[in-house]
Amino acid sequence: MASTFTSKVALSGKSVAVNTKTAAAPRASFVCKAETKTTLKTGVVTGDDFLEVLQHARENEYAIPAVNCTMSPVTNACMEAAMKANSPMMIQFSNGGGIYNVGKGIDNADQKAAIAGTVAGALHVRAIADFYKVPIILHTDHCAKKLLPWFDGLLEANEEYFAKHGEPLFTSHMLDLSEEPFEENLDICKEYLARMSKINCFLEMEIGITGGEEDGVDNSDVAPEDLYSKPEEIYDVYKALMPISPNFSVAAAFGNVHGVYKPGNVKLTPEILGNAQKYIKEKEGLDSDKPVYFVFHGGSGSSREEIREAISYGVIKMNIDTDTQWSFWDGVREYVADKHDYLQAQIGNPDGEDKPNKKYYDPRAWMRSAELATIDRLMRAYEDLNAVGACAL
Ligand SMILES: [Zn+2]
């Protein structure tokens, strides 16, 4: 059951300072109601509570940002942005993010380190998510066939957690078998969805190819026609998975590309998603105009108009990685430029040669600058995704 929370958001009319020293786009400004109520469950949401968030997003035409997290300052910045925007947030870990979370000095034999690091990231979020008073979704990103042992380990962790707490540790997971033959992709997804539905865990699957490069998978030289999914293919996914469980979403290819590149010959074509929705509605004789939950990979560099158009066709989640990698670094870059003369030695700065610099090089000082820059970038994402104040809707 969903419970009602009240959160105070003291952001009315306040705009965030614009950083004039960089060529980057101005920091976001936003307006929120002074007092908001949400009928959505807050803290980590799973199962029916997550389904309620998805339906809420679809009905109100917004999408949830899904941010790749590699360490707790990134995770916390995401949740702080969500609290400020009064909107849901999806925290997602890639396989590489999980490994990083264990420590890069540790060997990842049999994916054991990746499993442990991803679980550790989820437990960190679970321990603190309630403080942020918005729905938090725990998710994992691309899992190709060679990484299935990672996926299996995460499902075991979910099953163990479910046995103790009656819900899975993670809200959902992505399986990306788009590089395999289509039939094999569907068969493996069916098998996993059956297992996941027993513990109320959601599946995100991918068909077609997202261009560009991310986390070691390079699709930057595939044929342009492979970057667009057909309505028939999306309907095949629907027919294969729906009888098992409705708890799935589809990352279809509509000309989306991972990373930020110079404009090329690939054109983002969100109508592809709209055409598929119409096709499935007609074939199945459904009432819903948007029977499929779509997710948007490779949204970096897309215009607000393109993002909003994709949302109008049933996109309920957009991945963000490249742009928050940049913002996190940009915060550090800005800090180092601003405090340069206080960061050259432990003692001695323009205020005196015996003055200590401890408070300037404390990681909490410069890391906070990274967090704040990321929060600003995410506020802009919430605006792009039509999701500012979503919990109050
Ligand atoms: Zn992706």
Side-chain angles (χ1 to χ4, degrees):
M1 279 298 290
S3 50
T4 303
F5 282 79
T6 302
S7 60
K8 285 185 198 306
V9 185
L11 293 171
S12 281
K14 186 187 166 198
S15 31
V16 175
V18 173
N19 176 6
T20 51
K21 282 181 292 182
T22 66
R27 299 260 163 99
S29 64
F30 43 86
V31 180
C32 244
K33 285 177 194 167
E35 187 149 321
T36 53
K37 272 191 180 139
T38 182
T39 54
L40 300 170
K41 184 185 177 289
T42 61
V44 173
V45 293
T46 62
D48 287 347
D49 295 324
F50 176 48
L51 193 60
E52 218 167 288
V53 175
L54 285 182
Q55 286 165 348
H56 189 259
R58 180 167 66 184
E59 275 160 29
N60 293 293
E61 300 220 334
Y62 67 89
I64 305 160
V67 184
N68 282 58
C69 292
T70 46
M71 58 187 93
S72 58
V74 179
T75 307
N76 294 354
C78 289
M79 292 195 281
E80 190 172 336
M83 180 174 66
K84 281 191 167 178
N86 193 32
S87 199
M89 167 57 71
M90 199 175 284
I91 301 287
Q92 69 184 15
F93 300 99
S94 68
N95 180 267
I99 295 168
Y100 185 83
N101 212 22
V102 171
K104 289 290 277 183
I106 300 300
D107 185 64
N108 187 33
D110 304 324
Q111 294 293 328
K112 291 268 191 305
I115 295 162
T118 311
V119 166
L123 290 172
H124 167 79
V125 172
R126 282 220 171 250
I128 65 174
D130 286 345
F131 288 102
Y132 292 89
K133 297 185 165 57
V134 286
I136 303 289
I137 297 111
L138 275 169
H139 180 70
T140 56
D141 203 7
H142 294 268
C143 176
K145 196 176 176 185
K146 64 171 194 266
L147 295 182
L148 284 176
W150 174 53
F151 204 87
D152 290 330
L154 296 177
L155 288 195
E156 275 167 37
N158 281 324
E159 285 159 352
E160 241 173 73
Y161 198 91
F162 186 88
K164 280 188 206 142
H165 306 280
E167 64 170 337
L169 174 58
F170 292 87
T171 314
S172 67
H173 297 283
M174 182 197 192
L175 263 185
D176 177 5
L177 303 163
S178 58
E179 305 219 339
E180 312 308 322
F182 188 56
E183 282 307 315
E184 187 182 354
N185 182 349
L186 291 187
D187 284 345
I188 299 176
C189 283
K190 277 156 71 175
E191 205 179 296
Y192 276 108
L193 183 60
R195 180 173 169 190
M196 292 164 83
S197 66
K198 290 186 190 134
I199 51 167
N200 300 327
C201 203
F202 282 65
L203 174 70
E204 176 184 321
M205 65 86 71
E206 175 158 336
I207 54 165
I209 294 171
T210 304
E213 200 206 326
E214 187 180 63
D215 221 32
V217 178
D218 189 353
N219 288 327
S220 47
D221 56 359
V222 297
E225 66 268 22
D226 292 337
L227 299 173
Y228 304 99
S229 299
K230 293 171 191 65
E232 294 84 351
E233 291 170 333
I234 297 169
Y235 184 37
D236 282 342
V237 173
Y238 184 90
K239 280 187 295 187
L241 300 185
M242 210 50 165
I244 300 168
S245 166
N247 297 345
F248 66 91
S249 58
V250 181
F254 57 105
N256 37 336
V257 175
H258 283 135
V260 175
Y261 300 92
K262 275 196 241 168
N265 50 2
V266 180
K267 198 188 171 309
L268 197 71
T269 317
E271 304 96 283
I272 284 179
L273 307 179
N275 293 341
Q277 298 281 29
K278 234 184 268 167
Y279 185 83
I280 295 169
K281 179 185 172 157
E282 277 170 26
K283 285 279 176 189
E284 295 280 302
L286 302 170
D287 291 332
S288 171
D289 287 331
K290 293 181 235 174
V292 181
Y293 291 116
F294 282 119
V295 302
F296 188 166
H297 284 245
S300 296
S302 301
S303 70
R304 179 166 296 175
E305 291 67 36
E306 289 170 325
I307 293 168
R308 297 266 176 109
E309 190 189 351
I311 291 170
S312 76
Y313 297 131
V315 163
I316 42 71
K317 169 208 182 207
M318 188 176 88
N319 286 9
I320 303 173
D321 186 14
T322 313
D323 287 342
T324 41
Q325 285 181 336
W326 170 255
S327 65
F328 203 76
W329 160 247
D330 195 40
V332 178
R333 186 198 57 71
E334 197 185 326
Y335 181 89
V336 171
D338 190 35
K339 303 284 191 298
H340 175 272
D341 295 347
Y342 297 80
L343 296 168
Q344 301 311 307
Q346 282 187 287
I347 295 167
N349 61 43
D351 304 332
E353 60 182 28
D354 56 350
K355 296 281 184 204
N357 291 320
K358 185 171 159 56
K359 69 176 176 187
Y360 299 104
Y361 60 77
D362 183 330
R364 286 170 294 184
W366 51 270
M367 203 69 107
R368 182 60 182 156
S369 184
E371 290 171 6
L372 289 172
T374 300
I375 291 164
D376 284 354
R377 180 61 189 85
L378 286 172
M379 293 311 297
R380 201 139 49 82
Y382 273 113
E383 288 189 349
D384 290 343
L385 296 167
N386 195 32
V388 176
C391 289
L393 296 170

